[in-house]
């Protein structure tokens, strides 16, 4: 782990849309039980006609990000170590367990299904959409490289 990393120019963000999720997920990162995050792939696909600078950027191996608590206080720097696009039904347990430390693949699938279906409604406005085994996910594995 580094000891004097300059974080001024690194992207800063927290997980989740509320304080409990942001701080709870941060605690999982800090204790090592969360080393991966997943999103439904269509959230990251380019939107036709949207200027490039307004498009979401795909995480890449080697990217550094500052993870903050809900109040924006920097708590750690993470480096992306792996990125994959996989179908929801094809994610192996050895990858899935990195997200929340779930005990079984079924536990991960159940926990993520609720999140993904909620995100689909919130982000895409698609209340009738449903997650199936062929839904593409974007998986980002990361490691903490500095605690702040």
């Amino acid at each position: 782990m580094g000891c004097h990393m300059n974080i001024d120019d690194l992207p800063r963000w927290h997980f989740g849309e509320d304080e409990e999720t942001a701080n709870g997920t941060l605690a999982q990162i800090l204790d090592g039980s969360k080393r991966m995050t997943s999103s439904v792939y269509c959230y990251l696909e380019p939107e036709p006609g949207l200027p490039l600078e307004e498009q979401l950027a795909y995480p890449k191996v080697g990217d550094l990000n500052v993870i903050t608590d809900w109040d924006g206080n920097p708590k750690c720097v993470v480096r992306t170590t792996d990125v994959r696009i996989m179908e929801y039904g094809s994610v192996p347990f050895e990858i899935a367990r990195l997200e929340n430390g779930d005990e079984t693949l079924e536990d991960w699938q159940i926990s993520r299904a609720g999140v993904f279906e909620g995100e689909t409604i919130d982000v895409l406005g698609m209340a009738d959409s449903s997650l199936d085994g062929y839904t593409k996910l974007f998986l980002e594995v990361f490691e903490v490289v500095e605690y702040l």
Side-chain angles (χ1 to χ4, degrees):
M1 307 257 169
C3 59
H4 298 294
M5 182 178 288
N6 182 351
I7 64 169
D8 293 341
D9 295 326
L10 296 178
R12 294 173 184 230
W13 50 277
H14 60 74
F15 281 86
E17 299 299 322
D18 59 66
E19 184 172 3
E20 182 179 355
T21 302
N23 293 340
T25 303
L26 173 63
Q28 289 181 305
I29 292 168
L30 296 176
D31 73 17
S33 61
K34 181 173 184 66
R35 295 177 290 144
M36 191 261 289
T37 190
S38 57
S39 298
V40 175
Y41 181 62
C42 64
Y43 301 153
L44 300 175
E45 288 183 305
E47 273 188 57
L50 192 64
L52 188 59
E53 62 274 6
E54 294 179 28
Q55 303 262 355
L56 289 173
Y58 290 98
K60 298 175 294 304
V61 171
D63 282 356
L64 295 171
N65 289 275
V66 175
I67 306 303
T68 70
D69 63 14
W70 176 253
D71 296 322
N73 301 305
K75 296 299 180 178
C76 67
V77 177
V78 297
R79 176 181 21 239
T80 302
T81 60
D82 190 15
V83 292
R84 300 175 187 207
I85 298 169
M86 299 184 79
E87 292 178 344
Y88 174 69
S90 299
V91 176
F93 179 64
E94 53 272 7
I95 298 293
R97 70 181 175 83
L98 298 175
E99 187 148 28
N100 298 319
D102 288 308
E103 296 292 323
T104 68
L105 182 59
E106 182 181 25
D107 288 345
W108 176 80
Q109 290 171 332
I110 291 168
S111 70
R112 298 317 298 163
V115 171
F116 293 148
E117 289 176 355
E119 286 177 351
T120 302
I121 292 168
D122 293 344
V123 175
L124 301 177
M126 298 170 52
D128 62 343
S129 69
S130 62
L131 187 69
D132 64 31
Y134 301 105
T135 302
K136 287 185 181 179
L137 304 182
F138 188 90
L139 310 175
E140 178 185 3
V141 180
F142 55 84
E143 64 182 354
V144 175
V145 294
E146 186 161 334
Y147 295 91
L148 304 171

